[in-house]
Amino acid sequence: LSHSFENPAIAMQLEGDILRSFDDIAGAVHMYEKAAESYIAQNELVKAIAVYDHLFTIADNSDYVEKIIALYLQLQQHPQAFG
């Protein structure tokens, strides 16, 4: 599965979706976190924000809100990132 996508973040995000569908919340959270970090490394901040938002709805952890805010602040410095 992971070799089906050129972008490893997409594969990690999909793996998180699959784990969540099997009620493996801890495994899903781990994969979503890795996907968000990969998106950040690729400077895909909007996608990272979306993953952290999803993580917050699953895990209800305020650390994700802090990460979202930090990423929005980074985007504010680079408005062209919005498209």
Side-chain angles (χ1 to χ4, degrees):
L1 178 66
S2 63
H3 300 291
S4 301
F5 300 99
E6 288 183 27
N7 186 336
I10 294 172
M12 288 181 246
Q13 192 173 355
L14 181 58
E15 186 174 344
D17 292 341
I18 293 167
L19 290 168
R20 185 170 182 223
S21 73
F22 287 102
D23 291 324
D24 181 355
I25 302 302
V29 165
H30 175 72
M31 291 311 299
Y32 288 139
E33 287 175 343
K34 286 179 65 173
E37 291 168 7
S38 182
Y39 281 130
I40 291 168
Q42 298 170 40
N43 205 31
E44 298 270 0
L45 303 184
V46 174
K47 291 178 183 178
I49 289 168
V51 173
Y52 281 129
D53 182 58
H54 187 60
L55 275 164
F56 179 71
T57 63
I58 295 169
D60 194 23
N61 184 331
S62 63
D63 290 344
Y64 299 128
V65 174
E66 291 175 17
K67 290 177 187 266
I68 291 168
I69 291 169
L71 289 170
Y72 271 119
L73 289 172
Q74 281 184 297
L75 281 175
Q76 197 172 33
Q77 295 172 1
H78 305 285
Q80 69 275 12
F82 283 106

